[in-house]
Amino acid sequence: MQYNNLGCAGIKVSALSLGAWVTYGEQVDEDVTFKCMVAAYEAGVNFFDNAEAYGSGNGEIVMGNVIKKTGWKRSDLVISTKIFWGGDGPNDSGLSWKHIIEGTNAALKRLQMDYVDLIFCHRPDIETPIEETVRAMNHVINQGKAFYWGTSEWNADQIMEAYGIARREHLIPPVMEQPEYNMFKRQRIEREYIRLYKEIGLGTTIWSPLASGLLSGKYNQGIPSGSRFSLEGYDWLRKRLEGAEGQKNIEKVRQLSEIAKDLGCTTAQLAIAWCSKNPNVSTVITGASRPEQVDENMKALEVADLLSEDVLDRIENILDNKPKPLPNFR
Ligand code: NDP
């Protein structure tokens, strides 16, 4: 495993990590969660990602139980949670001072931990002044309940606003973003955030490297039963797949599978390796519903070494979606 600094921060995260969304505390039982997390840990993963919203809190409960059961040393781990969707009441969601403090306390209780290493604002909250959120995150860190704070799916201007307020008010600035990044979703990481890597040392913990499994090639011949796209409540994924864009993407995955075959790897490994190759990606958060998937995905770093300029050009030709410079790009 390779360990990267989280942007300009001193903390080091494994280049590949494991997250709970959809799967742990929801799709699979605690025994499978245990096996997946152990497989990841044994491959060198130190970062496990979570959110108060995952499985309505069950994601944190099962991951916390596994960590307790294994007896892993807390200082060997980087644990995150994300605050935004904590319940149905008017003050159970968003990024107010109140919800950030109450949401963090509840998450720590579910995780059975005194602190998380990373805490994210899971989405921007247009109903709360950014200054209030920055002050609340500063307070959470000063109380020792988290070590670093960041954002998820905030645009570059919102991140810069938070950073500017923190600097002006002598508060702790955000250091990381958690955006979606995969072969089909490239604009933010490859274009929008470019100046943030240089100007504020932004680190990134990217999500859905397989576009929810699409880039593993498992949907090339339809939707296998038990897969994420077949789950109840995920019709939006199925609809997306059945649309024109989805069908185009499936055709691209079929062609990517040919490249994987030539390299002697799986399509999933190729897709994860491609994400990890981007120097602005601090860690690729993988997801897995079976320990065998973890074993397969964790070998992606070896595949990254095989991605020569020629191979990357072949991939680029298939994807045909290289982000264009922004009009005011500098
Ligand atoms: P992926 O795009 O990698 O999808 C993971 C899913 O794909 C697995 O659960 C599994 O689903 C399938 N899969 C994984 N490996 C293989 C394989 N080798 N072969 C075949 N199928 C495979 O990542 P996620 O969408 O799960 O996102 C990863 C993490 O990112 C989340 O757990 C979460 O921590 C974070 N995230 C953050 C978000 C945010 O807003 N900040 C949003 C979404 C995710 P199955 O077997 O069930 O088909």
Side-chain angles (χ1 to χ4, degrees):
M1 184 56 71
Q2 178 189 317
Y3 299 89
N4 299 323
N5 276 74
L6 187 53
C8 65
I11 192 168
K12 289 186 169 64
V13 285
S14 47
L16 303 180
S17 42
L18 186 70
W21 183 55
V22 182
T23 319
Y24 310 135
E26 212 176 331
Q27 179 188 1
V28 302
D29 64 21
E30 200 165 308
D31 183 50
V32 174
T33 305
F34 180 90
K35 288 182 177 138
C36 289
M37 287 179 69
V38 168
Y41 181 84
E42 285 176 352
V45 165
N46 71 353
F47 171 37
F48 294 94
D49 183 62
N50 226 310
E52 62 171 352
Y54 295 168
S56 305
N58 283 330
E60 292 165 326
I61 290 172
V62 293
M63 270 200 173
N65 285 346
V66 168
I67 290 165
K68 194 119 210 206
K69 193 166 158 191
T70 56
W72 294 332
K73 215 163 98 201
R74 181 64 186 85
S75 54
D76 286 342
L77 304 173
V78 177
I79 305 296
S80 73
T81 194
K82 299 189 282 291
I83 302 295
F84 195 90
W85 294 286
D88 297 330
N91 283 311
D92 291 335
S93 59
L95 300 176
S96 66
W97 180 288
K98 179 171 169 66
H99 182 57
I100 287 176
I101 306 303
E102 291 174 346
T104 304
N105 288 340
L108 291 176
K109 214 171 193 176
R110 287 190 294 269
L111 285 162
Q112 306 171 66
M113 288 176 188
D114 299 328
Y115 63 89
V116 286
D117 301 83
L118 314 179
I119 190 158
F120 294 85
C121 299
H122 208 158
R123 285 294 179 274
D125 177 2
I126 55 167
E127 294 174 4
T128 300
I130 290 187
E131 179 160 342
E132 178 175 336
T133 298
V134 174
R135 286 188 184 280
M137 281 296 169
N138 185 75
H139 181 72
V140 165
I141 292 178
N142 281 340
Q143 294 232 311
K145 292 182 177 174
F147 294 155
Y148 301 87
W149 79 275
T151 56
S152 180
E153 297 295 345
W154 285 33
N155 68 36
D157 288 344
Q158 290 163 330
I159 297 169
M160 279 312 273
E161 188 177 341
Y163 182 86
I165 291 168
R167 284 292 178 232
R168 188 188 73 213
E169 302 295 330
H170 305 287
L171 303 168
I172 300 162
V175 297
M176 71 277 179
E177 223 299 319
Q178 187 168 128
E180 183 178 5
Y181 182 56
N182 56 54
M183 287 173 164
F184 297 141
K185 193 93 185 185
R186 305 173 59 178
Q187 185 70 23
R188 281 223 149 124
I189 280 278
E190 293 185 27
R191 280 291 173 269
E192 187 181 330
Y193 292 158
I194 290 282
R195 73 187 180 107
L196 305 191
Y197 308 132
K198 289 191 195 129
E199 289 177 22
I200 68 170
L202 189 76
T204 64
T205 68
I206 66 103
W207 60 268
S208 282
L210 298 179
S212 273
L214 193 67
L215 281 157
S216 71
K218 73 194 299 175
Y219 298 106
N220 286 1
Q221 269 80 43
I223 300 179
S225 70
S227 63
R228 181 178 293 180
F229 283 54
S230 76
L231 299 178
E232 221 186 292
Y234 291 88
D235 329 18
W236 56 278
L237 279 173
R238 282 195 291 282
K239 279 201 190 107
R240 204 192 273 173
L241 179 66
E242 283 154 13
E245 183 81 10
Q247 290 305 302
K248 248 201 218 152
N249 285 344
I250 280 290
E251 186 42 45
K252 289 180 183 180
V253 179
R254 290 196 185 107
Q255 293 177 46
L256 291 166
S257 298
E258 291 299 314
I259 297 187
K261 209 159 108 194
D262 292 348
L263 294 178
C265 68
T266 66
T267 314
Q269 288 168 337
L270 180 71
I272 293 169
W274 181 89
C275 294
S276 77
K277 194 91 181 160
N278 186 320
N280 295 315
V281 168
S282 317
T283 180
V284 176
I285 313 178
T286 64
S289 67
R290 295 202 310 270
E292 295 78 17
Q293 291 176 349
V294 178
D295 293 339
E296 177 184 334
N297 297 346
M298 290 303 141
K299 296 201 184 90
L301 288 189
E302 294 161 32
V303 175
D305 294 335
L306 307 177
L307 301 187
S308 61
E309 286 305 317
D310 281 355
V311 176
L312 290 172
D313 283 348
R314 273 180 77 190
I315 293 173
E316 205 62 78
N317 283 336
I318 293 169
L319 296 181
D320 192 24
N321 62 358
K322 202 175 172 68
K324 300 202 168 39
L326 297 171
N328 59 354
F329 184 68
R330 48 185 171 124

